[in-house]
Amino acid sequence: MYQINRPVKTALTMAIALALSNGTVQAQEKSKVEDKKVETERQIETIVVTSTRRAENQQTVPLAVQAMSGAKLQELGIDSFEDYIALLPGVSSEGQAPGKQETYIRGVSAGRSDVRLAGIGGEPSVAFYLDEAPITTPGRNIDLYAVDLQRIEVLKGPQGTLFGASSQAGTVRLITNKPVLDEFRAGGEVGMSSTKSGGISNKTEGYLNIPIVDDTFAIRIAAYNSTDAGFIDNALSTTQLPLTNPGLGGSVPSSRQAVSNATLAKDDYNEATHRGMRVSALWQINNDWDLLIQHTNQQLDTEGSFEYDPAISTEDDLNASTFSPTEGDDQVDLTQWTLNGMLGGLEVIYNGSFTSRTFQGNTDYTAYIEIGPYVPYYTCSYPGYDECFSPVMTTSEQFETERVVHEIRVATNAEDRFRAIGGVFYDDQQLNTLTDFNYAGSIAAGFSPNFPIPGAFTNTDGSARPPGVTYFNDYQTDREELSVFGELAYDVTDDVTVTVGARHYEIEMGLMGQSPFGQRASGPEADAGTNVDSRLAGLTPATISGTIYKANIRWKMNADAMFYGTYSEGFRGGGFNRSAGTGGIPATFDTDTVVSVEFGWKTAWLDNTLRFNGAIYNVDFSDMQQGVLDLSIANNSFFDNVGSSEINGLESELNWAATDNVDLFGSFSYIDSELTDIPNTLVNITPVGSNLPYAPESEGVIGGRYYQEIGDFSAVFQGVFKWTDSRFNSLVDADRVELPSYTQVNLSASIGKDDWKATFFIDNATDSLGQVAAGSADNVFRVSPTRPRTIGFRLSYDY
């Protein structure tokens, strides 16, 4: 049994004493008649969740699920999932920018893949859903703005039987507010804030609910426009090809062109704007059937670097240095539909969705001149490398994906002693990527336009790439899944329920495409490069299949206490390596799996004014997938299965309506992760016994709210304190860095009357610099930071 060290014991004791959890702690009043006197008792609100695909009281679900209502999201000023998970111990994220994030739960992570620009990535370990529609995307999770949400649910632990692949470590569900059939509603919020050493952020959002036919048909519209101002500066810099570049081989050019970024140098460079709308229509067909159709359109525009370079920064002045425009345009259209009804005493649900997503952007890649072994060949005179031209390097990325999902579920009566839920799931995804690597100096160096490889799959029309494109990745990835799943539950007694579940899946995956590189010859003599169609001939497409299982027992000790134990399995599908055969790189990488055993409890005390929930778990994480860019092996990134690990953990949450005016809340997580086995692999992995990346040993949140009536107004004062322990960023030994621990304090004060509420807030009041993630894919070590101290206000209205 693992030992909990003194700091963790202290944190746990303090967390329990002060009341853990960032779950909802909203007061609701209950009338009590006693000796003809009426008194009120404040209770903790319980949220109804659908984490088991049935609507259930959060406190009765035998599952570690953290949920936050839409009202609480608004109260905390949360409008992105990144803001939400910042308050969830045991849940972390890392990434280069909005729309390029990875999320990890309970330490199930091999770390940053270092596949930053290639356009090829493995499946995430955490599944994302908007209502019933899966929106998880390899390498680029959809960063949906959190507008007009009923709640957010975070399901911890493998959810594979009900939610399939990519729910290996857990599932995140954004549940929207649905149209209300018999009532006109409207509301919205405007806000503005200022970030220290940064710019001015603003947001405008609103919703409208319109009954069209009473009790039969209604529509709901939500729209938003929100800009998060930058706080990282693009510092004035100059650069040139260094004499230490390995491709020079000791040659000393007589001239090397120096380039300045004066035209791009700018303060507050990292700006992101979400704009979009969601339209929902609900038709109550009859007493037994209803149809919901919903469409979401969003555009996410980003500019600049969201990572800073510590070598040219201080805690009060975060800087990056880029020499070409860095920007992105991420557009998403998601149409989903749900038909729900009763048929022969069975509940029948049909969900479908169609997702179309397009990303276009540019990323500065100039730092690659430090280590790129062929950079002199492309940017200097040849032979001899006597004169070297512009060192500026840029990637231009095009990313398109289409996804069609169908699912049919059938469920028996939830009140029956023996009940079942099951169905069929079909998922068809196609992902096309085209990434041009533009070496500005290659034109002066005499390179001709780069052509696709004849006969290989291409997303282009076969003509030459634009001048300066010396190398490009051109791929199509296909994934088609058909799964059958089900769960059976049986009430052994009135207090004991046993549930078993399984999911059988068959997934066909394919990869085709090419990575051509330029040459000095003219014309389409594209003999150079990687023809993936040839390298993977006979291997792609490939089918993987298997069955995963789940078993659960729940004991209701009494009306206020429930205990459960769960065995569950999760997986991520494998895939292909485009560099198969180079330096021993395998053609494929295998599925990695998770087996979890969990014991949990959910309890309420003092007439539901005190709630204490928690779980203890053990996870075996096998055949971990790791993405690597190691120039000593190959010039291309690749994936490999690099080992197995074990994770032991404890998490708890407690809410306390301490008085009629005071709520205390918080949460705590302890993770003991350890690499247990390293197979024969190309990758130099950190030794056995090392901690997994992005798995802090301890994390916690403690906060409180004070309610006060001031005449006709209601006021709420709130403070939240979070600490995150130190953690590592990678399993790859050469890239492994320990990120320091950090704390953060958020404060707010609200005052409202009738339908109006105004909120003044200070996020990160102590201006603590937290290093959320880090990496050095192109030889410059960069860090993703927490946002510096931000002061602002929000004004909301609900009619």
Side-chain angles (χ1 to χ4, degrees):
M1 184 69 177
Y2 55 88
Q3 299 294 316
I4 300 179
N5 59 30
R6 181 175 296 178
V8 175
K9 288 182 179 177
T10 302
L12 179 58
T13 302
M14 182 171 62
I16 293 175
L18 291 180
L20 303 166
S21 170
N22 62 347
T24 302
V25 188
Q26 274 194 336
Q28 59 183 21
E29 294 189 346
K30 150 175 124 167
S31 295
K32 194 181 202 181
V33 180
E34 183 178 5
D35 297 331
K36 299 183 179 180
K37 288 171 64 178
V38 177
E39 54 183 79
T40 60
E41 294 183 358
R42 301 175 70 248
Q43 294 190 330
I44 300 171
E45 180 189 54
T46 298
I47 299 176
V48 174
V49 298
T50 53
S51 51
T52 60
R53 298 301 183 104
R54 296 181 186 268
E56 293 184 82
N57 183 320
Q58 180 186 355
Q59 282 298 101
T60 65
V61 176
L63 172 70
V65 53
Q66 289 184 280
M68 185 176 289
S69 68
K72 196 55 57 185
L73 293 170
Q74 187 180 55
E75 188 171 292
L76 291 171
I78 291 172
D79 50 27
S80 72
F81 182 71
E82 185 178 356
D83 295 334
Y84 177 47
I85 64 173
L87 296 178
L88 291 180
V91 185
S92 59
S93 72
E94 64 88 13
Q96 293 173 266
K100 297 182 180 181
Q101 299 287 331
E102 292 284 350
T103 299
Y104 309 116
I105 294 179
R106 289 182 172 176
V108 178
S109 161
R112 168 173 284 191
S113 68
D114 276 348
V115 185
R116 297 155 58 103
L117 301 171
I120 297 177
E123 295 180 0
S125 64
V126 175
F128 279 74
Y129 277 72
L130 180 65
D131 292 319
E132 299 291 339
I135 57 175
T136 312
T137 306
R140 294 184 185 275
N141 270 326
I142 297 177
D143 186 358
L144 285 180
Y145 188 83
V147 64
D148 196 29
L149 293 184
Q150 184 185 85
R151 67 186 182 276
I152 293 179
E153 298 178 8
V154 177
L155 289 57
K156 294 184 175 182
Q159 309 296 323
T161 53
L162 290 180
F163 294 97
S166 292
S167 57
Q168 178 189 54
T171 300
V172 176
R173 307 181 68 223
L174 284 68
I175 310 298
T176 63
N177 281 316
K178 306 304 186 296
V180 179
L181 293 173
D182 57 357
E183 186 176 12
F184 175 84
R185 296 181 181 177
E189 182 174 278
V190 295
M192 185 173 292
S193 62
S194 174
T195 298
K196 180 185 175 183
S197 300
I200 303 297
S201 303
N202 63 82
K203 71 173 182 177
T204 303
E205 59 185 66
Y207 72 90
L208 191 64
N209 187 93
I210 307 174
I212 305 298
V213 180
D214 285 347
D215 299 324
T216 302
F217 186 75
I219 61 173
R220 191 178 187 101
I221 303 171
Y224 52 91
N225 190 319
S226 175
T227 297
D228 292 327
F231 56 88
I232 297 175
D233 302 336
N234 190 22
L236 181 63
S237 308
T238 60
T239 191
Q240 62 184 166
L241 180 71
L243 295 177
T244 55
N245 181 282
L248 287 173
S251 299
V252 179
S254 62
S255 67
R256 291 174 293 146
Q257 183 177 345
V259 174
S260 169
N261 67 348
T263 59
L264 295 172
K266 179 182 179 181
D267 290 343
D268 312 331
Y269 193 37
N270 57 318
E271 183 175 280
T273 298
H274 291 79
R275 61 174 62 92
M277 66 183 303
R278 183 173 65 243
V279 180
S280 307
L282 177 62
W283 176 25
Q284 187 68 47
I285 301 171
N286 54 42
N287 291 334
D288 291 331
W289 290 89
D290 60 70
L291 174 65
L292 174 71
I293 299 177
Q294 184 168 282
H295 181 76
T296 301
N297 171 269
Q298 176 178 283
Q299 179 171 327
L300 169 59
D301 295 324
T302 57
E303 179 189 15
S305 173
F306 290 78
E307 302 172 302
Y308 72 93
D309 180 355
I312 57 173
S313 302
T314 67
E315 285 201 5
D316 296 321
D317 184 23
L318 304 181
N319 294 308
S321 179
T322 61
F323 292 84
S324 59
T326 298
E327 58 198 1
D329 178 4
D330 190 352
Q331 298 190 47
V332 177
D333 282 284
L334 169 61
T335 303
Q336 53 195 120
W337 52 92
T338 299
L339 179 64
N340 182 55
M342 299 297 297
L343 188 65
L346 298 175
E347 181 183 14
V348 179
I349 302 174
Y350 163 52
N351 296 304
S353 63
F354 174 74
T355 306
S356 175
R357 184 184 183 191
T358 302
F359 174 87
Q360 291 185 319
N362 300 309
T363 302
D364 182 73
Y365 199 51
T366 304
Y368 187 66
I369 63 175
E370 301 280 345
I371 57 174
Y374 295 104
V375 171
Y377 175 75
Y378 286 110
T379 61
C380 302
S381 59
Y382 185 83
Y385 302 149
D386 184 60
E387 184 179 7
C388 295
F389 305 102
S390 172
V392 174
M393 301 172 65
T394 311
T395 65
S396 297
E397 306 160 67
Q398 298 181 43
F399 171 98
E400 296 182 1
T401 182
E402 290 189 352
R403 184 176 192 178
V404 177
V405 175
H406 300 283
E407 181 185 70
I408 298 177
R409 293 199 311 270
V410 178
T412 62
N413 190 334
E415 304 300 321
D416 291 345
R417 185 173 183 179
F418 179 85
R419 50 197 177 275
I421 185 170
V424 178
F425 175 84
Y426 175 79
D427 184 0
D428 186 13
Q429 302 181 53
Q430 184 178 96
L431 191 156
N432 292 79
T433 58
L434 177 61
T435 304
D436 290 335
F437 291 78
N438 190 307
Y439 291 23
S442 68
I443 300 175
F447 273 82
S448 300
N450 193 0
F451 283 84
I453 298 174
F457 170 83
T458 177
N459 285 291
T460 73
D461 60 4
S463 58
R465 304 307 298 145
V469 176
T470 62
Y471 182 85
F472 64 98
N473 289 324
D474 186 7
Y475 293 102
Q476 178 174 296
T477 303
D478 296 285
R479 183 184 186 280
E480 187 175 22
E481 175 183 352
L482 181 64
S483 295
V484 179
F485 63 92
E487 289 191 356
L488 302 175
Y490 178 66
D491 295 332
V492 181
T493 69
D494 290 342
D495 301 321
V496 177
T497 301
V498 174
T499 302
V500 294
R503 186 184 192 98
H504 178 76
Y505 59 88
E506 288 193 2
I507 302 174
E508 182 181 276
M509 298 181 298
L511 173 67
M512 54 187 180
Q514 55 180 297
S515 292
F517 53 79
Q519 53 193 336
R520 294 177 183 272
S522 61
E525 303 108 351
D527 299 325
T530 302
N531 185 337
V532 171
D533 293 357
S534 297
R535 292 200 177 195
L536 298 179
L539 299 175
T540 178
T543 299
I544 62 172
S545 62
T547 304
I548 56 175
Y549 300 96
K550 171 185 174 181
N552 173 274
I553 184 168
R554 173 176 58 183
W555 174 42
K556 295 180 182 178
M557 188 175 75
N558 54 46
D560 296 321
M562 182 267 288
F563 300 88
Y564 68 89
T566 302
Y567 169 92
S568 55
E569 300 176 350
F571 74 101
R572 289 187 300 175
F576 301 94
N577 280 316
R578 55 188 173 142
S579 300
T582 302
I585 295 175
T588 63
F589 57 95
D590 294 332
T591 297
D592 60 3
T593 59
V594 161
V595 175
S596 173
V597 177
E598 175 179 342
F599 169 75
W601 62 92
K602 297 185 177 183
T603 62
W605 307 77
L606 305 178
D607 200 15
N608 200 31
T609 60
L610 178 67
R611 180 180 297 163
F612 177 54
N613 298 341
I616 299 172
Y617 56 87
N618 170 271
V619 176
D620 285 324
F621 187 14
S622 302
D623 298 321
M624 299 182 299
Q625 298 172 4
Q626 174 70 59
V628 180
L629 176 60
D630 188 337
L631 298 180
S632 67
I633 301 173
N635 292 326
N636 295 329
S637 53
F638 64 93
F639 278 80
D640 202 358
N641 299 93
V642 297
S644 300
S645 61
E646 183 177 7
I647 305 168
N648 292 295
L650 162 70
E651 57 195 24
S652 58
E653 54 178 341
L654 192 154
N655 303 328
W656 185 20
T659 72
D660 286 344
N661 302 95
V662 176
D663 289 336
L664 298 177
F665 58 95
S667 51
F668 176 79
S669 171
Y670 171 78
I671 298 175
D672 178 22
S673 62
E674 181 181 8
L675 188 62
T676 58
D677 177 64
I678 302 175
N680 291 327
T681 176
L682 295 173
V683 185
N684 186 14
I685 296 299
T686 190
V688 167
S690 300
N691 298 127
L692 294 182
Y694 299 109
E697 188 175 73
S698 66
E699 276 189 295
V701 172
I702 296 175
R705 299 186 190 93
Y706 176 74
Y707 302 86
Q708 181 64 54
E709 298 296 324
I710 306 174
D712 294 333
F713 295 88
S714 299
V716 180
F717 304 90
Q718 179 174 268
V720 179
F721 170 79
K722 178 188 177 181
W723 78 90
T724 299
D725 211 345
S726 61
R727 69 238 94 92
F728 291 92
N729 70 322
S730 178
L731 281 177
V732 180
D733 196 49
D735 300 332
R736 189 172 174 86
V737 175
E738 185 174 12
L739 305 178
S741 61
Y742 66 93
T743 61
Q744 188 162 331
V745 176
N746 296 339
L747 305 172
S748 67
S750 301
I751 188 165
K753 180 182 179 182
D754 300 327
D755 300 323
W756 294 92
K757 183 173 71 173
T759 301
F760 173 79
F761 63 89
I762 306 176
D763 289 341
N764 195 5
T766 59
D767 196 32
S768 170
L769 176 61
Q771 297 186 1
V772 178
S776 52
D778 55 5
N779 197 51
V780 173
F781 178 72
R782 300 183 182 89
V783 175
S784 299
T786 55
R787 179 172 284 269
R789 181 171 56 238
T790 300
I791 301 174
F793 74 90
R794 299 185 293 270
L795 183 64
S796 61
Y797 173 77
D798 284 287
Y799 174 77

